[in-house]
Amino acid sequence: MESSGNLKVLNALDGAKTQWYHFTAIVIAGMGFFTDAYDLFCISLVTKLLGRIYYHKEGSPKPGSLPPQVSASVNGVALVGTLAGQLFFGWLGDKLGRKKVYGITLILMCVCSIASGLSFGSQPKGVMTTLCFFRFWLGFGIGGDYPLSATIMSEYSNKKTRGAFIAAVFAMQGFGILGGGVFAIMMAAIFDSRFKAPPYEVDPVKSTVPEADYVWRIVLMAGALPALLTYYWRMKMPETARYTALVAKDAKKAASDMSKVLQTDIESEQEKLDEVMADSKYSFGLLSKEFAKRHGLHLLGTTSTWFLLDIAFYSQNLFQKDIFSAIGWIPPAKTMNAIQEVYKIARAQTLIALCSTVPGYWFTVFLIDRIGRFTIQLIGFIMMTIFMFVLAFPYNYWTRPEHNMGFVAIYSLTFFFANFGPNATTFVVPAEIFPARFRSTCHGISAASGKLGAIVGAFGFLYLAQNKDPAKADAGYPPGIGVKNSLICLGVINFLGTLCTFLVPESKGKSLEEMSGEQEEASGERRA
């Protein structure tokens, strides 16, 4: 008997030429990721504004800012929610099916995006509490989109261009970051021209107009629109053939669904599938010794590399504000009014996204099926290690004004090689190398490990990078080890990522069943 990997419906998918339905799937899944990135990163555009509105101190020479604990909560609660959502919806996607759960995550994201902008009350405690509450559940929905989008795209793709298709979905994250920045720029420009205000140093009270409270709310709520636009098409997508056949064990429905998608007749082969599924080896569980033997090192590889990568990727907060201020992209806060500050921050982050983040993603899309996942990830980690050390050891050299642009160039290259490197491949590979019945769960576990790294990078290093001199540390923070030593730590973390990459197999040009061992299981039963 032929293997499950040789069911005609799966062969048809593996060998299908690139068709319109591939691009439809990329857009439908990609718009979810556009929304994910917009929602996760847009909060950093408005936190300064929240500080000015709700934490203004009379007579202070500087504008109000969020206290460290409040700032950490507002910025980090969505990451915690995302981690939880990745684990829960990843598991649910294998239990109920990719399509059923896919709609739930989208609705949750849309509702909580809108609710975030409607945070109740006028007092700081009430607004921040409700904002954090809704952003946790927003993150929970976003978390579900990671394993489901990757799994759906991998199971719809042909084996020749599968890597590019999954990477293209993830690359929409770059456009989400860019879209958030552009929209914040537009809102700030409109409000600043309509409601004139003096800089903080001229008039601390009038520098924050009452209407500024609408700006951050509109920016957060706009995140619901892209996802809402694709809800209908997301619900019209049929369940993936691999889930229907290999998990739900309904070859007839899988063949029927894919016959419509591929516009060709496909034989169902239900009897063949029933024989394969009767194999006792095929029924091992996620926590079994058999899984550990077959896929344990692979899962260790995907979780460790994503964890290490996200520590480095999300630690950008360490020196971003210093860079932007040093090169004049963001002037001192007291020289601007509240809305102008939003404009300047959004412009700076948009420029970084445009120059390094977006190009890196698309280099991966174009090259991943040519040079392979392993090579791209290895090169990315190696280059990030080198650039971190180049920034770290002569750090005092880079802090001089005449060398600031050199620092920005290397900083941008670090992000370029993160995105043309492990930031993309850590998303792609877990969707390809595990069996269909664990694929969404294992991707969710890998992604959750990444988000744990993101929390360490964004907040652990925020405290760690504080100046050794308590007098020079940011208000409310204890002294740390300094930026230079933090950069050395990040270089070491990237080097460890390079080593852990050797635990991850290459999946270029291979079918999902060949990578996961499902083909081997079934053909082994046949030989017996």
Side-chain angles (χ1 to χ4, degrees):
M1 194 194 84
E2 291 173 82
S3 73
S4 63
N6 287 331
L7 284 174
K8 289 178 182 177
V9 65
L10 304 187
N11 274 344
L13 283 167
D14 278 339
K17 292 181 180 178
T18 300
Q19 299 175 38
W20 183 247
Y21 84 88
H22 286 124
F23 294 109
T24 304
I26 289 171
V27 171
I28 293 169
M31 286 310 288
F33 249 81
F34 179 99
T35 303
D36 297 348
Y38 181 103
D39 287 333
L40 280 180
F41 289 93
C42 70
I43 192 69
S44 64
L45 305 174
V46 297
T47 47
K48 296 281 188 185
L49 179 60
L50 289 170
R52 284 191 185 234
I53 295 170
Y54 295 106
Y55 291 91
H56 170 70
K57 290 181 181 178
E58 199 67 44
S60 172
K62 293 181 180 180
S65 61
L66 298 179
Q69 292 79 9
V70 175
S71 179
S73 299
V74 168
N75 286 290
V77 71
L79 295 177
V80 176
T82 303
L83 188 157
Q86 286 163 337
L87 292 172
F88 177 72
F89 286 116
W91 168 78
L92 206 61
D94 283 333
K95 293 297 177 187
L96 301 183
R98 296 31 165 152
K99 180 189 171 180
K100 286 181 183 176
V101 183
Y102 213 27
I104 298 170
T105 63
L106 195 74
I107 291 169
L108 191 57
M109 284 158 53
C110 292
V111 169
C112 292
S113 282
I114 294 167
S116 294
L118 298 175
S119 295
F120 316 120
S122 57
Q123 295 303 309
K125 189 174 181 180
V127 173
M128 296 304 146
T129 301
T130 52
L131 177 61
C132 289
F133 175 81
F134 288 121
R135 280 193 64 80
F136 173 84
W137 291 108
L138 171 65
F140 196 68
I142 288 171
D145 232 40
Y146 274 74
L148 293 168
S149 290
T151 301
I152 286 170
M153 200 65 242
S154 76
E155 293 181 346
Y156 262 110
S157 301
N158 60 53
K159 62 184 179 182
K160 185 179 177 183
T161 56
R162 185 179 61 238
F165 289 159
I166 304 171
V169 169
F170 191 66
M172 291 299 288
Q173 189 179 72
F175 287 121
I177 297 169
L178 197 61
V182 169
F183 186 73
I185 288 170
M186 288 168 52
M187 287 298 101
I190 291 167
F191 273 77
D192 191 42
S193 64
R194 180 72 179 82
F195 307 103
K196 297 291 185 184
Y200 183 87
E201 61 187 357
V202 174
D203 191 324
V205 175
K206 290 183 179 178
S207 68
T208 306
V209 294
E211 291 79 7
D213 196 48
Y214 293 118
V215 174
W216 70 268
R217 296 177 186 273
I218 293 169
V219 169
L220 295 187
M221 292 168 73
L225 290 176
L228 281 172
L229 293 173
T230 58
Y231 180 75
Y232 172 78
W233 289 278
R234 193 177 273 209
M235 290 298 92
K236 292 285 283 183
M237 286 177 79
E239 182 57 86
T240 70
R242 285 183 162 89
Y243 181 85
T244 305
L246 300 177
V247 184
K249 304 175 185 177
D250 190 344
K252 185 176 180 181
K253 186 170 188 338
S256 171
D257 287 344
M258 291 307 105
S259 293
K260 294 173 188 173
V261 169
L262 298 172
Q263 298 181 329
T264 185
D265 290 329
I266 302 172
E267 188 182 340
S268 71
E269 304 180 291
Q270 184 66 48
E271 289 183 9
K272 181 188 291 188
L273 181 65
D274 290 341
E275 288 182 48
V276 171
M277 292 299 169
D279 180 7
S280 61
K281 291 181 182 177
Y282 191 80
S283 59
F284 64 82
L286 181 65
L287 301 178
S288 66
K289 289 182 180 178
E290 188 67 22
F291 179 87
K293 177 183 170 185
R294 290 168 178 260
H295 303 291
L297 280 179
H298 297 163
L299 188 58
L300 177 62
T302 58
T303 53
S304 60
T305 51
W306 207 336
F307 173 76
L308 294 165
L309 174 275
D310 271 9
I311 292 177
F313 190 78
Y314 280 83
S315 67
Q316 61 179 300
N317 299 335
L318 284 183
F319 35 80
Q320 200 170 70
K321 66 180 190 297
D322 297 325
I323 292 172
F324 292 158
S325 299
I327 62 176
W329 284 2
I330 300 179
K334 65 181 181 180
T335 65
M336 300 178 283
N337 65 43
I339 295 174
Q340 286 170 346
E341 189 172 31
V342 172
Y343 179 91
K344 298 284 188 181
I345 292 170
R347 185 184 68 174
Q349 294 203 10
T350 301
L351 285 169
I352 289 289
L354 198 59
C355 296
S356 64
T357 307
V358 172
Y361 283 123
W362 290 97
F363 265 74
T364 302
V365 172
F366 292 125
L367 293 174
I368 192 167
D369 288 312
R370 291 179 173 86
I371 64 177
R373 292 81 163 134
F374 177 83
T375 304
I376 288 177
Q377 185 162 309
L378 195 66
I379 291 171
F381 267 128
I382 289 171
M383 296 306 291
M384 288 172 71
T385 303
I386 292 169
F387 288 133
M388 282 294 182
F389 286 142
V390 168
L391 290 174
F393 289 113
Y395 182 70
N396 293 333
Y397 170 87
W398 296 117
T399 54
R400 296 174 196 160
E402 64 269 25
H403 302 140
N404 285 154
M405 288 311 295
F407 192 101
V408 172
I410 296 173
Y411 173 76
S412 297
L413 281 170
T414 307
F415 275 92
F416 174 82
F417 279 103
N419 295 313
F420 176 47
N423 195 36
T425 54
T426 52
F427 177 80
V428 173
V429 174
E432 299 181 306
I433 63 175
F434 299 107
R437 62 193 184 279
F438 306 133
R439 188 168 290 135
S440 180
T441 303
C442 289
H443 195 285
I445 292 169
S446 302
S449 176
K451 276 296 167 282
L452 184 61
I455 293 166
V456 173
F459 303 107
F461 273 87
L462 190 60
Y463 282 85
L464 207 60
Q466 293 298 321
N467 200 294
K468 295 176 185 178
D469 182 353
K472 294 181 180 178
D474 291 344
Y477 289 92
I481 63 172
V483 173
K484 177 177 178 175
N485 290 331
S486 296
L487 288 169
I488 293 171
C489 289
L490 290 171
V492 172
I493 286 167
N494 286 322
F495 178 70
L496 291 175
T498 306
L499 298 179
C500 290
T501 296
F502 288 94
L503 297 172
V504 182
E506 178 58 75
S507 49
K508 183 183 76 166
K510 297 178 182 178
S511 74
L512 295 177
E513 289 67 45
E514 187 182 352
M515 283 307 302
S516 65
E518 287 162 299
Q519 206 168 59
E520 175 193 323
E521 290 164 13
S523 56
E525 170 71 5
R526 172 62 179 158
R527 285 193 297 272

